[in-house]
Amino acid sequence: MRILLFLLILLLAACASKPPPLKTSQLYLAIAPDANGNSAFRLDVILTSDPALAAEILALTPAAWFAQRQQMAALHASTLKVVGAELVPGQAYGPVALTAKFRITSGLVAVGYDGAAADFAVLGANPSELLTLNRTGFALSAAGAGK
């Protein structure tokens, strides 16, 4: 009986230590006509089930991420999904459904703008999020009810 109780406590502790799933399930993109100085740019939606891997990716520069993304995707195939595209200014995209074959706990967006405006956005604050990209940067907010 003690062994059964001990195993039950271990199971409960293991379940309690799992990070919560990503709250965001949809991403919309609004790209201004002059985004990135009116130049096409790369954008990756990065989904993972490993919070340590998400932290490792955030420690990179976006340029380093784009250089290493194929290698990282191959190394972490069971815990990392990358959806990438080259986008042009003046367009709206979405919704992008955030799904994977694993339980998603972290969502990132790598924006490959030219120069200092390149950066990451961290998803998760809202069920539907809107990434607005303008001339010199971008902002993440809750997607409106009409989205």
Side-chain angles (χ1 to χ4, degrees):
M1 184 67 169
R2 285 186 183 181
I3 292 175
L4 184 60
L5 182 60
F6 178 72
L7 290 174
L8 181 61
I9 290 171
L10 281 178
L11 178 66
L12 289 174
C15 290
S17 67
K18 284 186 3 183
L22 181 69
K23 185 176 181 179
T24 306
S25 61
Q26 291 183 330
L27 176 65
Y28 294 86
L29 304 174
I31 307 172
D34 63 350
N36 193 38
N38 198 26
S39 297
F41 59 94
R42 294 184 292 178
L43 184 138
D44 280 353
V45 177
I46 306 161
L47 306 173
T48 183
S49 63
D50 182 353
L53 179 58
E56 181 182 337
I57 292 168
L58 284 172
L60 299 171
T61 64
W65 160 256
F66 286 111
Q68 299 175 33
R69 66 196 277 254
Q70 288 181 325
Q71 179 183 3
M72 290 189 84
L75 284 172
H76 303 282
S78 65
T79 60
L80 179 67
K81 179 179 178 183
V82 180
V83 179
E86 186 163 326
L87 302 175
V88 295
Q91 302 295 313
Y93 298 91
V96 177
L98 305 180
T99 62
K101 292 182 180 179
F102 51 80
R103 184 174 173 270
I104 303 167
T105 59
S106 300
L108 310 171
V109 180
V111 179
Y113 267 19
D114 296 333
D119 207 350
F120 291 96
V122 179
L123 302 172
N126 304 289
S128 290
E129 293 192 288
L130 171 66
L131 184 64
T132 303
L133 300 113
N134 59 39
R135 179 169 184 74
T136 59
F138 55 90
L140 190 62
S141 62
K147 292 279 180 198

